Amino acid sequence: MSQTKSGRLKWRPLQPFGAVVEADLGQSLSTEDAAAFRQLMFEHQLLIFKGQKLSHPQHIEVMEYIGPVQRMQEFVHNISTDESQGVLGTQRLPYHSDVSFLKYPCPILSLHATDL
């Protein structure tokens, strides 16, 4: 698969959809790179950025390149089997639907894995 580049973003398409993107999202993107990021999201539907270490505010900044972010505390959780780290305690995470029950579900979801 070929690699493509635009400013600070480099990516390779995945099949049947998605792209693996190389960029340090801890650094703010230029206007041009933010536009390329947004276009990548809508073109590939799934973007994978490996090795990111983002604070919660940085994660929000990244998602704002695509559009407005809901800032409602009930949508912000750390998911962990370590009781001191997350909302689940020692429970396993069952299948869930990420607020699809809302009148206007979120058009885009973002997960930031901090420890796998």
Side-chain angles (χ1 to χ4, degrees):
M1 286 183 214
S2 64
Q3 181 114 2
T4 308
K5 183 174 177 12
S6 174
R8 286 186 24 224
L9 303 175
K10 289 194 290 189
W11 67 91
R12 65 179 170 80
L14 298 173
Q15 294 300 322
F17 64 93
V20 175
V21 185
E22 294 177 28
D24 178 3
L25 296 178
Q27 303 294 319
S28 294
L29 296 179
S30 68
T31 302
E32 295 80 17
D33 286 341
F37 177 85
R38 187 172 36 261
Q39 179 61 35
L40 277 171
M41 183 67 230
F42 290 110
E43 183 177 324
H44 294 281
Q45 302 294 303
L46 170 71
L47 301 181
I48 299 170
F49 291 83
K50 296 180 180 180
Q52 303 296 312
K53 299 286 186 195
L54 302 177
S55 66
H56 186 67
Q58 287 172 316
H59 190 186
I60 289 172
E61 179 183 352
V62 168
M63 294 312 299
E64 285 179 329
Y65 296 137
I66 298 170
V69 173
Q70 282 187 322
R71 286 180 167 75
M72 298 169 61
Q73 191 59 36
E74 64 263 27
F75 294 123
V76 179
H77 300 293
N78 288 325
I79 304 297
S80 176
T81 56
D82 178 344
E83 289 183 28
S84 67
Q85 299 294 314
V87 298
L88 290 179
T90 58
Q91 299 176 43
R92 291 183 177 267
L93 182 63
Y95 175 79
H96 58 99
S97 56
D98 290 312
V99 299
S100 63
F101 56 84
L102 295 174
K103 184 174 181 179
Y104 301 103
C106 301
I108 294 176
L109 297 174
S110 174
L111 300 176
H112 179 227
T114 56
D115 185 18
L116 293 175

